[in-house]
Amino acid sequence: MYCTTHSDRRLAIGRQAGFSDKKVVQWDLDAGDVTQEYDQHLGAVNTITFCDENRRFITSSDDKSIRVWEFGIPVVM
């Protein structure tokens, strides 16, 4: 599992064991629930980095793409 925590410390973004390596998931750490899934990569996700004052995050993948996401919205920017 790879995981990085959002600045409010209640949400995390990462890959979870048992989930597709192509999918990034967002958890509510208080409830322990998956609250969002980001699944536009065609290969395994390698990195997840928050940017723009934690409003967005960037993922890179084995599919040789980099995607920019709005936090909480599963559509590539």
Side-chain angles (χ1 to χ4, degrees):
M1 177 169 103
Y2 173 83
C3 183
T4 186
T5 307
H6 190 265
S7 63
D8 71 7
R9 302 268 185 220
R10 294 185 356 239
L11 298 170
I13 293 277
R15 293 189 326 232
Q16 182 179 21
F19 278 68
S20 167
D21 283 344
K22 302 173 189 177
K23 185 185 297 184
V24 175
V25 292
Q26 176 181 318
W27 292 276
D28 177 326
L29 296 177
D30 292 334
D33 297 329
V34 172
T35 57
Q36 195 68 257
E37 296 180 355
Y38 306 84
D39 61 357
Q40 297 294 313
H41 280 293
L42 301 175
V45 175
N46 299 313
T47 63
I48 304 166
T49 305
F50 281 104
C51 62
D52 197 17
E53 298 178 355
N54 292 322
R55 291 185 303 228
R56 296 182 177 94
F57 63 96
I58 301 168
T59 55
S60 67
S61 169
D62 281 350
D63 66 9
K64 299 186 182 350
S65 70
I66 296 173
R67 304 209 188 276
V68 179
W69 308 85
E70 188 80 28
F71 186 76
I73 303 171
V75 178
V76 178
M77 294 185 67

